[in-house]
Amino acid sequence: MIQMHNVFLSYQPESSALSDINLKIPKGDFVFLTGQSGAGKSTLLKLIYADLTPTRGQVLIDGVNLTRLSRSQVPLLRRSIGVVFQDYKLLPNRTVLENVAITLEVLGWGKRDIGKKVYHILKRMGIEDKINATPLRLSGGEQQRVALARALVNDPKILVADEPTGNLDDENKEAILSIFKEANNRGTTVVVATHDRRVIENSHRRVIRLDKGAIVDTPDLFVGQAATEATMLEVPDVQE
Amino acid sequence: MSKNNKGAVRPKLEQEGFFGRLSYFTSRAFANLRQNVFVSAVTVGTIALALLIASLFLLVYVNLDGMAEGWSDKVQVTAYFDQEPAPLAVAALKGRVQAIPGTSKVLFVSQAEAEKRLRSRLKGQESLLEGITPDVLPASLEIRLDREHRDTDSVAAYVKKLKQIQGISEVQYGEEWVKRFNSFMNLFRLMGALLGSFLTITVLFIVSNTIKLTIYARKDELELLGLVGATRFFIKAPFLIEGVLQGAAGAVISLLALLGCYFAFLKNAGDFLGINPASAGLSFLPATHLAGVVLGGVLLGFIGSATSLKRFINV
């Protein structure tokens, strides 16, 4: 479960990127995080995988308070969270196999097992024929799938994705979303930051809307009030 | 449909434990070198060039130092006797001199031997020696000192002890020459140390900045590793091994280039420059210095990588 209590975050003293964030995302949930550019979506995601620490407030993952996590404990937390970055963060001089394998190498897997597992996940993504290609030779949709494969290859408890459908055509968007749903069905908690209205509309999942660093119109998501999968918010009208 | 995803369980490694990790880090380091050929070549090239300059300086310094040390062989102390000692007493006197710390070699020169030497030196001008008999020239002990006892103070202290031996009336050792020679050696070594230090600082600066730039070029990789849950050690280890390999490769290349320069230009430079006519030319660096250059390269690579990594790892 992901919980945030009175979270504030400022990059500079005068302006705050996030203010008074209170939310609870139960285990196995699928949540969309939406809002205009600069609303604080990426910042909130970064709090989940401990790339940022709040200026004030508490962030808890499965009951573990991230603000009290020592530097040596952060890698252990991150191993249970798959992250799909907005810019994919694929290493251009490594093959698809090597890019995806990084997640398993960090966990200490052996070469042979890595090969099998990576092939299996790439097959699930439908790009197993690109296993020896380098990212620069792939299309945007294929690069996105490689990034997804890297995030999902170790079956993480939580999957966070930052604008995963940003540069994709409708067909690829559908395919990527179905991979998210499949991961969610396997028990992974999924948090997707997007400002793509159609993606949210078609998914029928919970939505958390951010505006200028604060959660808006989401009384059911505040701490203390149990959020259920049935709770749906009206899809906000977001201008790009 | 499973709802309790607990994360993938790690299967057993082919080789567990310390050696398993070491083998992984080493193979990762080699793979990184392969995948970043240009960047690695720039680093190795810079280290090689920097160490070539440093080892060229070392080669010249070692040869000049050796040459200057050769000159110090001329430091000789001569102890003259009032009267020529009896043959039995000579052995005892030599023993007493030999017992003084710093004595390397003692040679007794009798009056007859002294006259013989004089005659041989004045060959062709024998008329100058008319009427000179051996008893005019004093018997003496010619003493060579250890290398460690050839500085001005040590020679003066040695002479003081020598004068205490009964029968020795006068001691000569070219005081002025020893003083000048030692001043020259001190200046030479000071200049060597200063130049060496500047060169070392320059090499450190160039190499560390090159490594910093090459690591900066791969900062995305460092960031990503941190974000997928790699520990600091896991991120650093392959980079450090890469640094060591690059440093060793740079050092070996620099020594090969130095060997090339040596055979092409320096081997006979002594004759050409006329600085050391006694020897056939400059000598190459001794094995200990060669090992030092390789070790220097390894340390440069390792420390350069370690300090640069510190800046780019946020885990």
Side-chain angles (χ1 to χ4, degrees):
Chain A
M1 182 186 280
I2 303 165
Q3 290 168 282
M4 292 193 188
H5 301 277
N6 307 109
V7 167
F8 288 80
L9 192 137
S10 306
Y11 290 114
Q12 286 164 338
E14 305 86 30
S15 63
S16 63
L18 290 176
S19 57
D20 202 20
I21 300 290
N22 288 284
L23 63 82
K24 190 189 254 181
I25 301 171
K27 200 174 178 181
D29 208 354
F30 191 135
V31 174
F32 281 108
L33 203 59
T34 190
Q36 287 180 315
S37 294
K41 303 186 294 291
S42 302
T43 304
L44 198 142
L45 291 187
K46 283 179 181 177
L47 286 175
I48 296 173
Y49 57 88
D51 197 24
L52 289 173
T53 44
T55 316
R56 193 143 50 97
Q58 316 290 329
V59 179
L60 287 94
I61 305 285
D62 288 339
V64 177
N65 192 339
L66 302 196
T67 51
R68 290 188 191 159
L69 222 54
S70 68
R71 214 165 69 164
S72 61
Q73 288 172 310
V74 172
L76 300 175
L77 167 87
R78 288 181 180 164
R79 288 174 200 180
S80 63
I81 301 173
V83 186
V84 182
F85 304 96
Q86 194 168 5
D87 56 354
Y88 310 148
K89 291 199 192 301
L90 298 177
L91 302 177
N93 50 3
R94 295 199 191 184
T95 63
V96 167
L97 168 70
E98 289 167 329
N99 265 285
V100 179
I102 286 176
T103 311
L104 299 175
E105 285 174 1
V106 164
L107 291 171
W109 281 43
K111 231 180 188 175
R112 219 171 288 165
D113 296 306
I114 288 177
K116 280 185 209 158
K117 184 81 178 168
V118 172
Y119 182 78
H120 181 70
I121 190 98
L122 291 178
K123 205 170 175 189
R124 249 170 75 193
M125 304 283 162
I127 48 166
E128 72 273 22
D129 56 324
K130 307 284 180 188
I131 195 162
N132 290 318
T134 49
L136 293 176
R137 293 183 178 274
L138 304 178
S139 68
E142 287 168 338
Q143 288 187 21
Q144 182 64 281
R145 284 174 213 218
V146 176
L148 246 170
R150 188 183 59 202
L152 287 170
V153 71
N154 63 332
D155 304 326
K157 288 183 191 169
I158 298 169
L159 175 69
V160 297
D162 197 356
E163 300 286 2
T165 55
N167 305 312
L168 305 181
D169 55 33
D170 287 348
E171 199 183 326
N172 270 311
K173 277 180 193 175
E174 276 302 316
I176 295 294
L177 279 173
S178 69
I179 294 166
F180 282 133
K181 284 173 192 167
E182 194 193 319
N184 184 236
N185 287 338
R186 286 165 177 264
T188 300
T189 307
V190 180
V191 184
V192 178
T194 181
H195 61 253
D196 191 329
R197 199 177 153 200
R198 279 176 61 195
V199 166
I200 300 168
E201 273 174 353
N202 296 337
S203 301
H204 307 288
R205 302 284 176 162
R206 285 179 55 208
V207 177
I208 298 171
R209 188 179 170 210
L210 284 168
D211 185 32
K212 289 174 188 160
I215 293 177
V216 288
D217 304 324
T218 55
D220 54 318
L221 294 172
F222 277 68
V223 176
Q225 288 175 286
T228 65
E229 275 193 68
T231 312
M232 290 291 297
L233 293 170
E234 196 185 326
V235 177
D237 201 12
V238 179
Q239 288 175 349
E240 300 212 9
Chain B
M1 217 183 304
S2 155
K3 273 278 175 189
N4 29 357
N5 199 345
K6 285 176 182 163
V9 178
R10 175 170 82 80
K12 270 202 155 198
L13 286 170
E14 290 115 68
Q15 201 182 352
E16 291 277 346
F18 172 77
F19 290 105
R21 299 313 274 164
L22 186 69
S23 132
Y24 166 76
F25 290 138
T26 311
S27 65
R28 187 69 257 162
F30 276 108
N32 285 346
L33 289 172
R34 241 190 356 259
Q35 283 163 348
N36 302 282
V37 177
F38 178 72
V39 169
S40 304
V42 167
T43 312
V44 171
T46 310
I47 293 177
L49 209 62
L51 285 178
L52 176 63
I53 295 167
S55 46
L56 254 173
F57 169 78
L58 197 65
L59 180 77
V60 172
Y61 179 81
V62 165
N63 273 282
L64 285 178
D65 193 54
M67 207 167 71
E69 278 294 342
W71 292 340
S72 76
D73 285 342
K74 289 182 182 171
V75 176
Q76 181 180 292
V77 178
T78 311
Y80 294 100
F81 295 102
D82 289 334
Q83 287 178 334
E84 179 155 336
L88 274 175
V90 169
L93 277 166
K94 275 174 87 173
R96 285 181 71 185
V97 172
Q98 200 77 55
I100 301 173
T103 309
S104 168
K105 218 167 153 188
V106 184
L107 180 73
F108 176 72
V109 180
S110 63
Q111 287 178 312
E113 175 66 21
E115 193 218 0
K116 211 169 130 190
R117 283 186 185 179
L118 189 64
R119 283 191 187 280
S120 100
R121 271 185 210 164
L122 295 174
K123 217 166 190 176
Q125 297 165 297
E126 282 83 0
S127 59
L128 293 171
L129 297 169
E130 266 175 35
I132 289 178
T133 50
D135 53 316
V136 174
L137 300 168
S140 64
L141 284 177
E142 287 178 356
I143 305 156
R144 288 198 187 281
L145 301 178
D146 290 338
R147 275 179 192 268
E148 300 76 41
H149 288 81
R150 288 176 192 168
D151 62 279
T152 314
D153 292 342
S154 300
V155 175
Y158 185 88
V159 167
K160 212 173 169 186
K161 283 179 194 159
L162 199 63
K163 278 180 175 170
Q164 286 167 1
I165 295 174
Q166 221 173 8
I168 292 176
S169 60
E170 194 189 338
V171 177
Q172 279 182 4
Y173 64 97
E175 197 177 351
E176 268 310 302
W177 189 88
V178 169
K179 269 185 186 165
R180 266 192 224 162
F181 174 74
N182 281 312
S183 301
F184 164 77
M185 283 304 280
N186 287 339
L187 184 71
F188 171 70
R189 283 183 179 138
L190 181 73
M191 291 298 287
L194 272 176
L195 272 172
S197 305
F198 284 134
L199 208 58
T200 307
I201 291 168
T202 312
V203 165
L204 281 174
F205 183 76
I206 293 170
V207 172
S208 71
N209 277 301
T210 308
I211 292 177
K212 213 172 277 174
L213 284 174
T214 57
I215 288 184
Y216 178 77
R218 290 165 65 188
K219 69 179 193 321
D220 291 345
E221 187 180 334
L222 294 170
E223 186 194 359
L224 178 76
L225 282 165
L227 290 172
V228 297
T231 58
R232 279 182 83 79
F233 179 74
F234 187 92
I235 302 171
K236 280 164 93 171
F239 277 86
L240 293 176
I241 295 174
E242 260 183 85
V244 167
L245 292 173
Q246 287 169 339
V252 170
I253 291 171
S254 78
L255 289 179
L256 289 175
L258 184 72
L259 198 67
C261 287
Y262 173 72
F263 280 115
F265 310 110
L266 301 173
K267 196 168 187 288
N268 300 313
D271 295 341
F272 173 70
L273 296 169
I275 52 171
N276 192 8
S279 77
L282 297 180
S283 56
F284 198 60
L285 288 176
T288 47
H289 289 58
L290 296 178
V293 172
V294 175
L295 187 70
V298 166
L299 283 175
L300 265 179
F302 182 83
I303 296 169
S305 299
T307 50
S308 307
L309 281 167
K310 226 175 180 180
R311 202 175 264 208
F312 297 113
I313 299 179
N314 298 318
V315 184

